Amino acid sequence: MRCDVVSVGTELLLGQIVDTNTVFIGEQLAAHGIASRLQVKVGDNVERIEAVFRQLLVDADALIVCGGLGPTHDDVTREAIAAVMGVELKLDEAIADVIRDLFAQLRRPMADNNMRQAMVPVGAEVIPQRRGTAPGLICPFQLDGDARVIYAIPGVPDEMEEMLERAVLPDLLARAGEPSVIASRVLKVWGESESGLNARLDDVIARLDDDGDVTLAFLARGWNGLEIRLTTSADSAFAAHERLRPWEEEIRAILGGVVFGADGDSMESVVLDALRRRGWTLGLAESLTAGLVAARLAGVPGASDVLRGGLVTYASDVKFELLGVTPGPVISEEAALEMAEGACRVFGADVGLALTGVAGPDRQDDVPVGTVCLAVVGHGAERATTLRLRQSASREQIRQLSVINALDLVRRFLR
Amino acid sequence: MRCDVVSVGTELLLGQIVDTNTVFIGEQLAAHGIASRLQVKVGDNVERIEAVFRQLLVDADALIVCGGLGPTHDDVTREAIAAVMGVELKLDEAIADVIRDLFAQLRRPMADNNMRQAMVPVGAEVIPQRRGTAPGLICPFQLDGDARVIYAIPGVPDEMEEMLERAVLPDLLARAGEPSVIASRVLKVWGESESGLNARLDDVIARLDDDGDVTLAFLARGWNGLEIRLTTSADSAFAAHERLRPWEEEIRAILGGVVFGADGDSMESVVLDALRRRGWTLGLAESLTAGLVAARLAGVPGASDVLRGGLVTYASDVKFELLGVTPGPVISEEAALEMAEGACRVFGADVGLALTGVAGPDRQDDVPVGTVCLAVVGHGAERATTLRLRQSASREQIRQLSVINALDLVRRFLR
């Protein structure tokens, strides 16, 4: 089974929008073992879209098409599909009713062109819309004697992702002769490289390959660490999850503490949860990261019950005056420790986290660029931990690496 | 002239990398009036790449191909181009010398496969490398009696962008019969929507269209505002810039204060420069943005001579105790003003900036989500300005909009 992908929209060709839809779709197809050989961006031109469909369908069994399903005259994906199928478009009364209801609810007059969204190629199956007004389409047909299928889904990422998972992938797997309930489990990792994970999971990966039922993929998520994604399909959700569970347990046992979470977890949500469970609050003192740690924690809704506040001490004398750091060089584990204690004191927090270092471009206090000192002080200062890092990277990378390493230090401190 | 774009790399199809190269190239082609009809992602497979080239070159006069120029066995762009051209690859001694020198400088042994990068299709012109080891290629040839050209450039974004601007676009414009020195001027805007700019520049845009020598494009840059890009080509850089200048002046006169900078400026660099010129320092007090303003300013190298520090006062009582805010509701212009004064005092800064508001998901102090109060206090508190915003957006959007609005308030305060 080969499934290629087409993104429709002149704005994509003009570079006005980044096409992240095919990234998501490509990932999902790979996770389910379906080959995708070509992914094409094409403008809102019905002849050109039709030509792309025909070219790709010479070798591809299926196409997923994103975008061009809106109500305006330049949304022509429906017309191009009907042309390749060699059928007419007809009004689907059920979709028409949904669209009329939506406008009635919004108390807005409905322009006639909205009914374009209810036009469906004869022989297509409708994927009902849950968000937005654009329904999706499953369009199976014969092309020169071969079975082909085109899936049309909206270009809006939220709507696209939801429809892909709910309707497109199950249908595609069924046509490929695969069981159609899909389940994934994602483990989040920090503190190990992709090649390091590969080496440590060598034996597991070999057995997964032999087994063939569960796929494993590594996905780099930048400042959110690495993901290990286990995916399988089965006849029921229960059976799929049961198939994933022993593999997850084995991987966790091998990797130990570098696995910081699963599925929807982030490093910041894990740190906040660990503090919240103990009823502890957090105070921050940041130098080179200048607020990035605070901002990342505060990005989690509900962070305010844990995060008391933070001090961005960009100038050295601010560290001395406000945090009580001993005057002198400020890039050391000792200075970081004093900063963390100062953060506890200033904010009346149970745990203090501090970061000091040199992001560059120039050395500071004769300390080379990329040197970062981290400290965590716990609950009354009877416990503390520090870490000195040397990172060879750009200014922005040094700052972002410091953030996630600091959060990870808190996580490990709390275990 | 039609120029399509091909991105080569199996990792692109698997969704492991987002293809931002074609976004940049699409933007540049549009800015120079060159049509781009199809943009294709294809894996590291020489037959498939060749097939894509042949299909696109039926209608496209030119192709820009990114990636697949590295030294490993799966870098096969060179082979695919030679196949379409119907020529052999031969070793280019000049490139070979550059690669040997590079390894000698690094004192690293050179694996034989690095010489793959010195292989060039017969009849191709080399674009010398300035970064990285991969040179680019300009490959003109006849295909079924028509003149065609393929440009091959590296997939690494920095190298790609540099080579596109230095060599590919000038060559492409020359082949299209356009003058070959290109110049752009980018104006940065905050505080006006794209449709608002369109309306205000209606007359200018109409005259630019009539004139035909200078193109104007709007580019949305998210939390960095909007860009207005003027582009032209001429026989010399001087002539090109002279052609852009009166249009820039006219646009600035129409738009006034919403234009905050040009070319490499960012809102944060403009604010830092304006403070630095006066010899003033800045202190911050952030609530809902929790360090985002500080982090954004500190992202500019050399910010430390202006930015003294910042307080992230996430808990209300921290605002009262550390900043001297009058106990009571904390989301008001009065509270923001007291926070800004507190920031000046705590950090010994000349100018204080404060942000307080509700990012959601829940109301706070009975104030609705999206309400944000900003204050700037100047140099001894004899001058101050406040702003109350109501933003209907997601939590993250509210935070980011608050950051740029706050920086813009400082900019306007300093004018």
Side-chain angles (χ1 to χ4, degrees):
Chain A
M1 176 64 102
R2 165 175 160 183
C3 179
D4 290 352
V5 185
V6 180
S7 285
V8 177
T10 302
E11 69 283 8
L12 295 166
L13 293 176
L14 298 176
Q16 293 169 348
I17 294 182
V18 181
D19 169 32
T20 55
N21 286 347
T22 57
V23 176
F24 184 84
I25 296 170
E27 244 187 57
Q28 292 293 319
L29 291 173
H32 297 97
I34 292 172
S36 187
R37 299 289 181 226
L38 292 173
Q39 297 176 356
V40 179
K41 292 192 261 185
V42 57
D44 303 305
N45 175 300
V46 69
E47 289 82 21
R48 213 167 280 133
I49 298 170
E50 184 190 340
V52 167
F53 289 173
R54 289 192 184 277
Q55 278 175 9
L56 295 175
L57 288 172
V58 171
D59 293 312
D61 306 287
L63 293 184
I64 298 175
V65 184
C66 301
L69 292 179
T72 67
H73 72 280
D74 58 356
D75 291 303
V76 292
T77 296
R78 284 174 293 260
E79 283 77 1
I81 294 174
V84 176
M85 294 174 76
V87 300
E88 300 288 302
L89 290 169
K90 73 166 200 309
L91 189 81
D92 183 294
E93 283 300 337
I95 303 174
D97 284 345
V98 170
I99 296 173
R100 281 188 209 105
D101 283 357
L102 191 76
F103 278 88
Q105 274 175 33
L106 295 172
R107 296 170 192 279
R108 272 168 33 196
M110 188 187 75
D112 285 345
N113 63 4
N114 285 285
M115 278 301 125
R116 284 176 51 79
Q117 297 197 298
M119 299 302 288
V120 170
V122 173
E125 181 189 334
V126 170
I127 308 173
Q129 61 273 54
R130 291 208 181 147
R131 307 169 188 179
T133 60
L137 298 170
I138 299 177
C139 308
F141 60 104
Q142 297 285 318
L143 191 69
D144 303 330
D146 295 315
R148 295 289 186 255
V149 58
I150 299 180
Y151 301 95
I153 50 181
V156 181
D158 280 2
E159 299 175 29
M160 182 282 294
E161 292 179 16
E162 191 273 331
M163 238 179 237
L164 188 82
E165 290 177 341
R166 166 162 59 96
V168 175
L169 288 172
D171 188 89
L172 188 60
L173 290 173
R175 285 175 202 274
E178 303 281 341
S180 61
V181 177
I182 305 151
S184 288
R185 179 73 167 163
V186 175
L187 297 178
K188 310 278 180 124
V189 173
W190 182 252
E192 182 66 272
S193 67
E194 193 169 325
S195 57
L197 289 177
N198 233 317
R200 288 171 73 179
L201 297 176
D202 204 17
D203 174 59
V204 173
I205 292 168
R207 282 186 290 121
L208 281 168
D209 280 347
D210 285 348
D211 191 62
D213 285 336
V214 175
T215 62
L216 180 149
F218 298 117
L219 301 166
R221 297 299 189 197
W223 316 125
N224 297 307
L226 282 162
E227 293 182 0
I228 302 173
R229 189 179 52 204
L230 294 165
T231 306
T232 194
S233 45
D235 296 323
S236 72
F238 179 79
H241 285 289
E242 282 303 293
R243 189 176 288 163
L244 294 178
R245 203 164 43 79
W247 293 106
E248 176 187 347
E249 285 169 5
E250 184 172 356
I251 292 169
R252 281 184 180 270
I254 293 169
L255 297 182
V258 299
V259 177
F260 68 79
D263 295 336
D265 293 337
S266 63
M267 183 62 87
E268 51 273 26
S269 74
V270 166
V271 166
L272 288 170
D273 287 344
L275 287 163
R276 193 176 287 122
R277 271 199 303 278
R278 289 166 179 79
W280 290 355
T281 57
L282 180 67
L284 305 169
E286 301 185 59
S287 178
L288 83 160
T289 52
L292 287 174
V293 176
R296 196 160 154 179
L297 287 166
V300 180
S304 55
D305 57 348
V306 171
L307 180 62
R308 294 275 300 160
L311 251 169
V312 176
T313 54
Y314 217 56
S316 290
D317 60 306
V318 172
K319 295 184 183 67
F320 311 146
E321 287 165 28
L322 296 181
L323 290 172
V325 173
T326 309
V330 292
I331 297 154
S332 67
E333 288 169 86
E334 294 71 30
L337 206 54
E338 289 181 334
M339 286 170 69
E341 285 164 359
C344 275
R345 197 169 49 240
V346 167
F347 294 107
D350 299 306
V351 175
L353 168 64
L355 304 89
T356 177
V358 191
D362 302 316
R363 296 164 75 92
Q364 188 186 335
D365 296 353
D366 217 37
V367 175
V369 172
T371 306
V372 178
C373 296
L374 309 174
V376 182
V377 174
H379 214 54
E382 67 267 24
R383 288 176 60 214
T385 184
T386 64
L387 183 64
R388 188 186 182 91
L389 299 168
R390 178 72 192 279
Q391 294 156 336
S392 186
S394 73
R395 179 179 166 86
E396 184 56 21
Q397 287 171 330
I398 290 168
R399 297 170 78 217
Q400 296 286 357
L401 283 166
S402 302
V403 172
I404 185 159
N405 277 311
L407 291 172
D408 195 47
L409 192 67
V410 178
R411 178 182 74 91
R412 289 169 178 274
F413 179 81
L414 294 173
R415 288 208 311 171
Chain B
M1 176 65 103
R2 166 175 160 183
C3 179
D4 289 353
V5 186
V6 179
S7 284
V8 177
T10 302
E11 70 281 8
L12 294 167
L13 293 175
L14 298 176
Q16 293 169 348
I17 294 182
V18 180
D19 169 31
T20 54
N21 285 349
T22 55
V23 176
F24 184 83
I25 296 169
E27 244 186 57
Q28 292 293 320
L29 291 173
H32 296 98
I34 291 171
S36 187
R37 299 289 181 225
L38 293 173
Q39 297 176 356
V40 180
K41 293 192 259 184
V42 57
D44 302 305
N45 175 298
V46 68
E47 288 83 20
R48 214 167 281 132
I49 298 171
E50 185 191 338
V52 167
F53 288 173
R54 288 191 185 279
Q55 278 175 9
L56 294 176
L57 288 172
V58 171
D59 293 313
D61 306 285
L63 294 182
I64 297 174
V65 184
C66 301
L69 292 179
T72 68
H73 71 281
D74 57 357
D75 291 305
V76 292
T77 296
R78 284 174 291 262
E79 284 77 0
I81 293 174
V84 175
M85 293 174 77
V87 300
E88 299 288 302
L89 289 169
K90 74 168 202 305
L91 189 80
D92 183 293
E93 283 300 337
I95 304 175
D97 284 346
V98 170
I99 296 174
R100 281 188 208 104
D101 283 357
L102 191 76
F103 278 89
Q105 275 175 31
L106 295 171
R107 296 171 191 280
R108 271 167 35 196
M110 188 188 74
D112 284 345
N113 62 5
N114 285 287
M115 277 301 126
R116 285 177 51 78
Q117 297 196 297
M119 299 301 288
V120 170
V122 172
E125 181 190 333
V126 170
I127 308 173
Q129 62 273 56
R130 292 211 180 144
R131 309 170 186 177
T133 60
L137 298 170
I138 299 176
C139 309
F141 60 104
Q142 296 285 317
L143 191 70
D144 303 329
D146 294 314
R148 295 289 185 254
V149 59
I150 299 180
Y151 301 95
I153 50 181
V156 180
D158 279 2
E159 299 175 30
M160 182 281 294
E161 292 179 16
E162 191 273 330
M163 238 180 236
L164 188 82
E165 290 176 343
R166 168 163 56 96
V168 175
L169 288 173
D171 188 272
L172 188 61
L173 290 174
R175 285 175 202 275
E178 301 282 340
S180 62
V181 177
I182 305 153
S184 288
R185 180 71 169 166
V186 176
L187 297 179
K188 310 278 180 122
V189 172
W190 183 253
E192 182 66 271
S193 68
E194 194 170 324
S195 57
L197 290 178
N198 234 315
R200 289 171 71 179
L201 297 176
D202 204 17
D203 173 58
V204 173
I205 292 168
R207 281 186 291 123
L208 281 168
D209 280 348
D210 285 346
D211 190 62
D213 285 335
V214 175
T215 63
L216 180 150
F218 297 117
L219 302 165
R221 297 299 188 197
W223 317 126
N224 296 307
L226 283 163
E227 292 180 1
I228 302 173
R229 189 178 53 202
L230 293 166
T231 306
T232 195
S233 44
D235 295 323
S236 73
F238 179 79
H241 285 289
E242 281 303 293
R243 189 176 288 165
L244 294 178
R245 203 164 44 79
W247 293 105
E248 177 188 347
E249 284 169 7
E250 184 171 355
I251 291 170
R252 281 183 181 270
I254 294 169
L255 297 181
V258 300
V259 176
F260 68 80
D263 295 337
D265 292 337
S266 62
M267 183 62 85
E268 51 272 27
S269 74
V270 166
V271 166
L272 288 169
D273 286 344
L275 287 162
R276 192 177 288 121
R277 271 200 303 277
R278 289 167 180 77
W280 290 355
T281 58
L282 180 68
L284 305 170
E286 300 184 59
S287 178
L288 84 160
T289 52
L292 287 174
V293 175
R296 197 159 154 179
L297 287 166
V300 180
S304 55
D305 57 348
V306 171
L307 180 62
R308 295 272 303 158
L311 251 168
V312 176
T313 54
Y314 218 56
S316 288
D317 60 305
V318 172
K319 294 184 185 69
F320 310 146
E321 287 164 28
L322 297 181
L323 289 172
V325 173
T326 310
V330 292
I331 297 154
S332 66
E333 288 169 84
E334 293 70 31
L337 206 54
E338 289 181 332
M339 287 171 68
E341 285 164 359
C344 275
R345 197 167 52 241
V346 167
F347 294 107
D350 299 307
V351 175
L353 168 65
L355 305 86
T356 178
V358 192
D362 303 316
R363 295 165 75 92
Q364 190 186 333
D365 297 351
D366 217 35
V367 175
V369 172
T371 306
V372 178
C373 296
L374 310 173
V376 181
V377 174
H379 214 55
E382 66 268 23
R383 287 176 61 215
T385 183
T386 64
L387 183 64
R388 187 185 184 92
L389 300 167
R390 180 71 192 280
Q391 293 155 335
S392 187
S394 73
R395 179 178 166 85
E396 183 57 20
Q397 287 170 329
I398 290 168
R399 297 170 77 217
Q400 296 286 357
L401 283 167
S402 302
V403 172
I404 185 158
N405 277 311
L407 291 172
D408 195 46
L409 192 66
V410 178
R411 178 182 74 90
R412 289 170 178 273
F413 179 80
L414 293 172
R415 289 208 309 169

